[in-house]
């Protein structure tokens, strides 16, 4: 079975921070450098990538998998007006379409893993539901997008923590007493105080000391990436530093800073023009921002 060389997930806890715009422009940038790229919409409740690329009535997409699972993933691909860039649409806006069951999600993940491409770029839904977090963890490289506002920085920190705790939870599967330390999904069963890796390790030391090493190994190998969007002033870039400090202090994780995207009318206009700004104006300031993010992605992380 074929598999993509590299899967990149673009996420971030808060809605509207620019996940879809950045995923689309990174995918377009990689495609225009000659790489074979598949952009994948995993926002089943509110898909919009097709609209960003000027495709209004997608002929097919993951919605087909909800009817029959015996589908070759390559047959779900749609061509776009950008050379080397293909798209897989999500379900659409039908009520209930975001409630994808566990089994179907697994089929979708296997489909993604078996795509034949140089790069697969996943656009994630907002929030920290397990399905979103699992798509982030499926990727070789996960990008968390934040804007400079404090609320967004805090949400993005919580997002990175949710992803890490989910990884640790996977390692604890079947051990209920350990799972409650990292599963915050059910407040009546969860240990809501365990919010830092230091505290988690202290608690593990008392219950099951062997697991401390398991946690340390997972923490050391976790390298989320960070992009700051909607930057207007130099001081906005501090948001990236603040987030990195928070992640270091509470999680022992140092996110890899990839760059920023300026607040720009060119970005907003590109949504109405249904053409990624990177394709229309690669030498514009936002176009250059994407260039730098892609350079950092392909050099700092791989
Ligand atoms: N750098 C920017 N400059 C100007 N406008 C921007 C910028 N980034 C995003 N926007 C605006 O914000 C809107 C939302 O962006 P986008 O759809 O990428 O967010 P999202 O994080 O994917 O949202 P959701 O959580 O709903 O999926 C865009 O349609 C665009 O108008
Ligand atoms: Mg989006």
């Amino acid at each position: 079975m074929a598999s993509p060389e590299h899967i990149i997930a673009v996420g971030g806890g808060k809605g509207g921070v620019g996940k879809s715009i950045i995923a689309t422009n990174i995918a377009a940038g990689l495609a225009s450098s000659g790489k074979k790229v598949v952009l994948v919409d995993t926002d089943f409740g509110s898909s919009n990538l097709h609209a960003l690329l000027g495709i209004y009535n997608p002929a097919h997409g993951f919605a087909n998998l909800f009817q029959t699972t015996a589908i070759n993933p390559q047959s779900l691909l749609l061509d776009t007006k950008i050379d080397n860039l293909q798209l897989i649409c999500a379900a659409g806006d039908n009520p209930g379409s975001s409630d994808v069951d566990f089994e179907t999600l697994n089929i979708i993940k296997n489909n993604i893993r078996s795509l034949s491409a140089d790069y697969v770029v996943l656009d994630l839904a907002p929030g920290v539901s397990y399905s979103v977090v699992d798509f982030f963890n499926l990727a070789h490289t996960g990008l968390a997008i934040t804007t400079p506002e404090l609320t967004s920085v805090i949400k993005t920190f919580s997002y990175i923590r949710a992803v890490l705790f989910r990884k640790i939870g996977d390692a604890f599967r079947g051990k209920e007493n350990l799972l409650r330390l990292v599963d915050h999904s059910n407040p009546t069963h969860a240990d809501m105080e365990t919010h830092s890796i230091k505290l988690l390790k202290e608690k593990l030391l008392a219950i099951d000391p062997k697991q401390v090493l398991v946690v340390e190994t997972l923490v050391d190998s976790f390298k989320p990436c960070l992009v700051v969007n909607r930057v207007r002033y130099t001081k906005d870039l501090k948001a990236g530093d603040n987030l990195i400090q928070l992640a270091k202090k509470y999680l022992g994780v140092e996110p890899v800073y990839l760059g920023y995207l300026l607040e720009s009318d060119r970005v907003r206009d590109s949504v109405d023009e249904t053409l990624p700004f990177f394709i229309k104006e690669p030498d514009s300031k936002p176009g250059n921002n994407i260039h730098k993010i892609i350079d950092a992605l392909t050099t700092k992380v791989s």
Side-chain angles (χ1 to χ4, degrees):
M1 189 171 35
S3 61
E5 289 290 319
H6 206 101
I7 303 176
I8 299 168
V10 183
K14 209 163 171 351
V17 291
K19 299 178 291 295
S20 300
I21 291 265
I22 290 174
T24 306
N25 280 278
I26 287 176
L30 288 166
S32 60
S33 72
K35 300 290 182 193
K36 191 166 179 281
V37 184
V38 178
L39 183 58
V40 179
D41 196 339
T42 67
D43 192 347
F44 302 104
S46 177
S47 58
N48 66 0
L49 276 192
H50 52 286
L52 284 180
L53 289 162
I55 299 169
Y56 296 106
N57 289 306
H60 43 252
F62 285 134
N64 298 63
L65 280 177
F66 301 165
Q67 275 107 47
T68 165
T69 53
I71 285 179
N72 172 357
Q74 298 292 133
S75 73
L76 300 175
L77 296 171
L78 291 168
D79 287 332
T80 71
K81 46 193 168 189
I82 298 163
D83 285 348
N84 300 319
L85 179 62
Q86 290 182 300
L87 171 72
I88 301 187
C89 286
D93 302 315
N94 304 330
S97 59
S98 59
D99 308 328
V100 182
D101 61 64
F102 183 72
E103 205 177 312
T104 312
L105 273 175
N106 269 341
I107 292 166
I108 290 173
K109 284 189 236 158
N110 286 336
N111 271 272
I112 291 170
R113 285 195 198 95
S114 65
L115 286 167
S116 156
D118 295 318
Y119 286 93
V120 168
V121 180
L122 309 178
D123 177 33
L124 306 193
V128 287
S129 65
Y130 283 150
S131 63
V132 172
V133 167
D134 286 351
F135 277 123
F136 197 93
N137 278 334
L138 162 85
H140 302 103
T141 305
L143 270 63
I145 312 295
T146 188
T147 61
E149 289 93 19
L150 184 64
T151 47
S152 180
V153 170
I154 291 170
K155 274 262 181 210
T156 310
F157 166 75
S158 303
Y159 188 80
I160 291 172
R161 185 178 58 197
V163 170
L164 177 61
F165 277 30
R166 178 70 167 160
K167 272 182 192 289
I168 297 171
D170 280 347
F172 290 170
R173 191 162 293 167
K175 302 185 175 82
E176 290 308 317
N177 59 333
L178 303 186
L179 271 174
R180 67 186 295 280
L181 298 176
V182 287
D183 173 9
H184 290 184
S185 63
N186 184 343
T188 56
H189 296 125
D191 182 345
M192 297 301 280
E193 284 173 11
T194 314
H195 57 268
S196 73
I197 288 295
K198 185 166 171 273
L199 198 54
L200 175 63
K201 287 201 296 192
E202 278 170 23
K203 292 192 175 180
L204 284 173
L205 211 50
I207 313 174
D208 190 345
K210 279 202 302 270
Q211 301 299 332
V212 174
L213 188 61
V214 172
V215 169
E216 284 173 348
T217 309
L218 285 170
V219 169
D220 287 348
S221 65
F222 182 45
K223 298 265 175 277
C225 296
L226 180 64
V227 171
V228 184
N229 187 21
R230 309 199 81 145
V231 167
R232 287 187 295 165
Y233 313 109
T234 314
K235 73 173 172 54
D236 290 346
L237 295 173
K238 279 286 265 173
D241 297 332
N242 291 342
L243 191 46
I244 290 170
Q245 292 314 321
L246 275 176
K248 268 199 211 168
K249 181 168 175 192
Y250 291 104
L251 306 177
V253 165
E254 185 161 357
V256 182
Y257 176 70
L258 295 184
Y260 64 91
L261 175 61
L262 290 171
E263 170 79 28
S264 164
D265 285 345
R266 289 192 153 106
V267 176
R268 218 180 16 250
D269 292 347
S270 72
V271 177
D272 293 334
E273 290 161 3
T274 65
L275 189 66
F277 57 84
F278 186 89
I279 296 299
K280 192 179 170 207
E281 298 170 301
D283 297 324
S284 61
K285 281 184 179 169
N288 268 317
N289 295 157
I290 295 293
H291 261 301
K292 287 195 176 140
I293 291 168
I294 291 176
D295 278 354
L297 246 180
T298 46
T299 54
K300 286 191 198 174
V301 203
S302 46

